[in-house]
Amino acid sequence: MQFKRIALVAVATGALALAASAQSVLKLAEIHPQGYPTELADEQFAKLVNQYTNGKYKIDIFPGGQISGDEKVVIEQVKINAVSIARVSSGALGGFNAQLNVFSLPYLFDSADHMWNFLLGSYGQKMLADLEPSGFVGLCWYDGGARSFYANYPLNAIADLKGKKFRVMPNNLLVKMVEAMGASAVPMAAGQVFSAIQTGVIDGAENNAPSLISFNHYQVAKYYMLDEHLRLPEVLFMNKGAWAKLSKDDQAAFRKAAAETVAFQRKAWDAYVIEATNKIKAEGEIIVEVKDKTPFKNAVKDLVATESPAFADTIKAIDAARPKK
Ligand code: BDP
């Protein structure tokens, strides 16, 4: 009798251990804090993966730059599978997968619709698949809006950039872009920008309105000039080895989950851009609309002409995705 009970307990404990080991936990890195549109999409992705794999996979999100405030470091962590999944800017991932640098060409897309026509089309999806030689599996694109300059001194026109120092993501094309516009570029991790502006190491940076809030930059840079020089899509991607360990069914579940978060993120993004813009205005941010972007486009014309041939096929597909007027 006693023996039987022990045997039963042993069986039950074994089953529990099996259940525990059957659930795999994957880490996901996100530089933005909880509630930011990409972070909400990460959460949605985690929820759907769990649901579609019947609880087999749990994704633990590390938001707010907990893994690192430097996306280059985050990507290196994904490369060695210390973290299996991350959401980063294509501006940062371009350092590991050169085809993505096309997005670092200023004024590439006319609008968000143009960008999404391209990203959701066959070429945009192929670019995700082409992350593979870099050791990654591209899961989906997210919206990162348009990036514009902001500074701790008044910005009204391109001439105001002259001789000033602006932070860019560590990426050569972005350095050249800022230089073509007349300023000096200081490549730096996102996590260092707040104190660099505060201490006067740099005069400003460039980003979308939501990031002015998530990184608190609106507190140290009160002038924001909406020249909208870049649309850098965000990318959700995974370590290739971790992906290869998933069964075919689980891979399909991950893909389905990622695909379903895209519309969710875009909706959250559009709503948050308005909310973020209103919030920084209420906090005293001086926002200047740029009615005529021609001087900005002219300043980068030669740079775009020099750099474009390296992305000829992609640019052809981007031109073809331009919405008909
Ligand atoms: C934000 C992106 C974030 C980048 C950041 C940056 O969402 O992934 O790290 O820009 O400028 O717009 O580094």
Side-chain angles (χ1 to χ4, degrees), residues 287-298:
I287 303 183
V288 173
E289 302 275 343
V290 177
K291 295 259 154 36
D292 181 11
K293 301 195 179 109
T294 318
F296 291 88
K297 291 181 183 171
N298 283 343

Side-chain angles (χ1 to χ4, degrees), residues 31-32 36 71 87-89 147 167 169 190 207-208 211 215 234:
I31 201 165
H32 292 297
Y36 189 94
E71 286 197 328
R87 194 292 311 157
V88 300
S89 167
R147 295 172 76 105
R167 176 266 177 174
M169 280 186 253
N207 221 317
N208 49 49
S211 291
F215 298 130
E234 313 276 21

